[in-house]
Amino acid sequence: MNLFKHLKPKNEKIQVNLGIKELKKTLDSKGKNFHFKWLSENSFIISLNFSFGSNLLFDVNYANTKSDIIAEGKIAEINDSESTIILKTKSKYWLTFILFLPVLVLFFELTFDLGIPLPFFFVFPIGYVILINFIKTEDEKLINKFKEHLNEEINNALQQSI
């Protein structure tokens, strides 16, 4: 099992049967259960309204997002009635720094014989695995909320046109 594969940004490609103008209207609709902000004409950022860990641990202010669980999106028109949305989550390579602390402490323990108990060295790797899984779940939750909102709005638009 590769513990570092979850640190890479996740890419998600969504194809919708809407032109780019209709898609933008759909994305601008109210009632989202996530934070949404346009960055440019065809790119946007989404984040969870609240993420337990990132709201409490970090001073989150990237593009006025609500949490550190972020995905950047780009929309591209395939033709007049089809568009593509590409979502890319934020990389989490900074989490590897959690693993440097036990290595540093182990170095000091071996050098100066500080008397640090052996179980202490397993706390950080176990915490790392738990944190990685929690963040992965939060990323998936954000993407699923975005897809659900998009599907609901497309279905509402189709029902209104019928």
Side-chain angles (χ1 to χ4, degrees):
M1 182 169 119
N2 185 358
L3 293 178
F4 299 107
K5 71 179 179 180
H6 300 298
L7 300 176
K8 295 179 189 174
K10 181 181 178 183
N11 290 327
E12 184 87 19
K13 185 176 180 180
I14 305 167
Q15 191 165 342
V16 293
N17 294 325
L18 292 174
I20 202 161
K21 289 181 183 178
E22 294 86 19
L23 180 58
K24 284 183 177 183
K25 285 180 191 176
T26 302
L27 292 175
D28 283 335
S29 66
K30 303 290 182 208
K32 296 181 212 52
N33 52 1
F34 54 88
H35 176 72
F36 179 89
K37 182 178 180 184
W38 287 104
L39 297 176
S40 68
E41 185 70 24
N42 291 337
S43 67
F44 58 89
I45 191 167
I46 57 174
S47 71
L48 290 177
N49 286 331
F50 180 80
S51 172
F52 182 72
S54 64
N55 282 50
L56 299 176
L57 294 177
F58 308 110
D59 181 21
V60 178
N61 198 18
Y62 175 71
N64 293 324
T65 57
K66 304 289 183 180
S67 76
D68 200 44
I69 306 299
I70 296 171
E72 292 185 21
K74 295 188 187 316
I75 57 176
E77 190 170 48
I78 297 172
N79 56 43
D80 289 341
S81 63
E82 288 183 313
S83 300
T84 300
I85 302 171
I86 298 173
L87 293 175
K88 182 178 181 181
T89 61
K90 186 176 166 187
S91 73
K92 287 138 186 85
Y93 289 110
W94 59 270
L95 290 172
T96 56
F97 290 113
I98 292 173
L99 298 176
F100 289 123
L101 187 61
V103 171
L104 184 66
V105 172
L106 181 62
F107 170 76
F108 283 121
E109 171 62 26
L110 295 174
T111 305
F112 300 113
D113 194 25
L114 300 172
I116 298 172
L118 184 63
F120 172 80
F121 296 104
F122 295 103
V123 170
F124 287 97
I126 292 169
Y128 171 80
V129 170
I130 292 169
L131 188 61
I132 287 293
N133 286 325
F134 177 74
I135 290 175
K136 176 184 160 201
T137 303
E138 292 285 294
D139 279 343
E140 290 171 358
K141 182 174 152 183
L142 174 63
I143 291 173
N144 288 337
K145 282 185 175 190
F146 178 79
K147 286 180 177 179
E148 286 172 13
H149 174 74
L150 192 61
N151 287 335
E152 285 175 15
E153 291 300 317
I154 291 172
N155 288 337
N156 288 343
L158 288 173
Q159 287 177 354
Q160 289 177 359
S161 67
I162 292 177

